[in-house]
Amino acid sequence: MSTGSIPNNQNNHKPSAQELTVSDITIVDRKLLKRAVGAAALGNTMEWFDFGVYSYLAVIIGKVFFPDASGAAQLIASFGTFAAAFLVRPIGGMVFGPLGDRFGRQKILALTMIMMSIGTFCIGLIPDYGSIGIAAPILLLVARLVQGFSTGGEYGGAATFIAEYSTDKRRGFMGSWLEFGTLGGYLLGASLVTLMTALLPEQAMLDWGWRIPFFLAAPLGIFGLYIRLKLEETPAFKEHMEKQDALEHSKPQLGLLKMLHQNRNQILKCMGLVLLFNVSNYMLTSYMPSYLTSVLGMSELTGLLLVMVIMFVMMPLTLMWGHWTDRIGRRPVIALGAIGLLLLSIPSFMLIGSGNLLAVFAGLAVLGILHTCFSGTMPATLPALFTTHIRYSALAIGFNLSVSLFGGTTPLVTAWLVDTTQNVMMPAYYMMGAGVIGLITVLTLRETAQKPLSGSSPTVASHAEAHRLIDRLRKQRAKKSRMPQTASE
């Protein structure tokens, strides 16, 4: 599989201030932008609805599919099946990413939506271990692998879609809606499981209740597919395809392995940022409910409600950071979160481990607030690492490799570490390690706030803003041309 390449002089050409005209600037319709952001975020909502449901049902799923194991082994087996889906995500990224760069973001995002829905729906259909024996956990694994393969193309495509539709001035804020959808989907799934846990007897949840949330994937997926099919392709991709058509007879084909080699530094930066982002994410959203219940001995309902409240608090904070990164930059906010993990992970888990309800809430709140430093910035930061013609491919592969190795395995590895060492502070040490890697990575980044995406024209919201941009660039050019003369005088 290969992805098209544009010669560097064409791909990175930017008209000077004197050359720049309104026709060189992309003007995005506000209504179309809102629809694009909503459709992209909806897929993330769907993905994380499943994660919220699975995480909050981890204990029950362990009992249904691994009934002969001990309580700790059931939890580890349940999270092991959860983590297995992440092993195929890079394969999904390698398939869907190049397809998205070749045929368009919109078409591939519609495909990933329907595949995610099918995988989630099928989990609800699987008979339990008592009915079909070892075939039950095998079918669960297959369904999770289908989900993992499809989600391999989801986040990279959705982040690319929003970034390429957004104006340069508001890319951080618009991108933060992707993670708002993540938290919303997780909260929706968690809320449904919590409500059912409160209303249904434990035996009813074990017998049939756990299936209901997975069945809801079908109508959500159909609605999301309809919304995505109604969208137009991104302006940046259209511009790229026009350049490709103009260079049809001279453009070389860039193989996938060669593309990865040529962009290895940027992909490594992407992986470092995603490690930071997803270790804190999965620690809080996927592992923490089970940690509170199985390790600290809280009631299941109390643990579920605490994490849900934190998710609710995180939603507006994610949008706030997205807004502020457009003003102060992405790098300072990411660095703030990484330093926070280094300094506050141990105090946070000491508060959580105290058993006092207010202290537990405070510890979770600190972790949640630190995570919003990443959730509010990454959807705009990651796509800006790559140029248009390889953006979907490189982001999907870099993102999913890091998620597979470090993010999705966080609940499994942490549960194993706590069980093996009997040290309940292992999650804090794990998060501190992520903070170190993230801080080193952010120091290598260049600031991209309020700048065009690499290989793309400046993007604004109106003709008036386009004229103001041209005037500002001309004044800056004139000021620079006068500086040497002023210095000599």
Side-chain angles (χ1 to χ4, degrees), residues 12 42 72 115 128 169 250 283 305 311 326 351 386 432:
N12 295 320
L42 186 61
M115 288 186 66
D128 60 20
K169 277 189 173 183
S250 61
M283 186 72 74
L305 288 172
M311 297 292 106
D326 286 328
L351 288 171
F386 308 105
M432 290 173 70

Side-chain angles (χ1 to χ4, degrees), residues 94-211:
M94 291 178 186
V95 172
F96 291 119
L99 288 175
D101 283 330
R102 190 174 183 85
F103 299 109
R105 289 71 161 110
Q106 181 259 355
K107 296 181 181 68
I108 303 306
L109 284 173
L111 179 60
T112 59
M113 170 66 78
I114 195 65
M115 288 186 66
M116 282 193 304
S117 303
I118 291 172
T120 304
F121 181 77
C122 285
I123 290 179
L125 297 175
I126 301 172
D128 60 20
Y129 187 92
S131 301
I132 59 173
I134 192 64
I138 291 174
L139 289 174
L140 175 64
L141 177 62
V142 171
R144 289 292 300 156
L145 292 177
V146 171
Q147 288 176 315
F149 182 75
S150 60
T151 53
E154 176 61 30
Y155 188 92
T160 295
F161 198 79
I162 292 178
E164 291 182 349
Y165 250 113
S166 298
T167 61
D168 298 334
K169 277 189 173 183
R170 305 195 73 199
R171 187 166 289 116
F173 177 67
M174 290 302 173
S176 66
W177 283 98
L178 185 63
E179 288 303 317
F180 186 89
T182 292
L183 294 168
Y186 188 94
L187 192 58
L188 180 63
S191 299
L192 180 59
V193 173
T194 302
L195 182 63
M196 293 177 64
T197 302
L199 296 179
L200 292 178
E202 182 178 355
Q203 192 59 44
M205 282 294 292
L206 283 169
D207 290 342
W208 55 268
W210 67 271
R211 301 178 185 274

Side-chain angles (χ1 to χ4, degrees), residues 10-272:
Q10 290 289 335
N11 188 54
N12 295 320
H13 174 68
K14 294 179 183 178
S16 68
Q18 290 180 339
E19 297 173 337
L20 197 67
T21 65
V22 173
S23 62
D24 297 316
I25 298 174
T26 302
I27 300 172
V28 178
D29 180 75
R30 293 178 188 270
K31 291 183 179 178
L32 196 60
L33 172 58
K34 290 179 180 178
R35 283 173 51 199
V37 171
L42 186 61
N44 235 35
T45 301
M46 172 73 200
E47 178 185 351
W48 280 87
F49 172 80
D50 166 63
F51 285 164
V53 167
Y54 197 98
S55 298
Y56 272 49
L57 287 174
V59 174
I60 291 177
I61 288 173
K63 293 177 181 177
V64 170
F65 291 97
F66 310 98
D68 296 333
S70 65
Q74 285 178 351
L75 184 61
I76 291 174
S78 181
F79 278 135
T81 309
F82 180 83
F86 290 86
L87 299 179
V88 297
R89 284 185 67 153
I91 301 174
M94 291 178 186
V95 172
F96 291 119
L99 288 175
D101 283 330
R102 190 174 183 85
F103 299 109
R105 289 71 161 110
Q106 181 259 355
K107 296 181 181 68
I108 303 306
L109 284 173
L111 179 60
T112 59
M113 170 66 78
I114 195 65
M115 288 186 66
M116 282 193 304
S117 303
I118 291 172
T120 304
F121 181 77
C122 285
I123 290 179
L125 297 175
I126 301 172
D128 60 20
Y129 187 92
S131 301
I132 59 173
I134 192 64
I138 291 174
L139 289 174
L140 175 64
L141 177 62
V142 171
R144 289 292 300 156
L145 292 177
V146 171
Q147 288 176 315
F149 182 75
S150 60
T151 53
E154 176 61 30
Y155 188 92
T160 295
F161 198 79
I162 292 178
E164 291 182 349
Y165 250 113
S166 298
T167 61
D168 298 334
K169 277 189 173 183
R170 305 195 73 199
R171 187 166 289 116
F173 177 67
M174 290 302 173
S176 66
W177 283 98
L178 185 63
E179 288 303 317
F180 186 89
T182 292
L183 294 168
Y186 188 94
L187 192 58
L188 180 63
S191 299
L192 180 59
V193 173
T194 302
L195 182 63
M196 293 177 64
T197 302
L199 296 179
L200 292 178
E202 182 178 355
Q203 192 59 44
M205 282 294 292
L206 283 169
D207 290 342
W208 55 268
W210 67 271
R211 301 178 185 274
I212 293 176
F214 294 106
F215 288 150
L216 293 178
L220 285 174
I222 293 171
F223 176 69
L225 179 64
Y226 171 78
I227 295 296
R228 286 188 170 182
L229 288 174
K230 301 285 283 184
L231 288 173
E232 297 181 14
E233 192 50 77
T234 69
F237 186 77
K238 288 180 180 178
E239 179 186 355
H240 161 64
M241 292 304 293
E242 289 172 2
K243 291 179 180 178
Q244 272 198 324
D245 291 340
L247 300 169
E248 187 65 38
H249 299 293
S250 61
K251 73 178 192 299
Q253 289 295 316
L254 185 64
L256 184 60
L257 292 178
K258 190 173 182 181
M259 183 274 290
L260 294 174
H261 176 72
Q262 289 182 357
N263 296 274
R264 61 186 180 278
N265 289 338
Q266 294 300 91
I267 291 174
L268 286 173
K269 291 177 186 179
C270 175
M271 292 181 66

Side-chain angles (χ1 to χ4, degrees), residues 18 330 343 359:
Q18 290 180 339
R330 326 285 190 222
L343 299 179

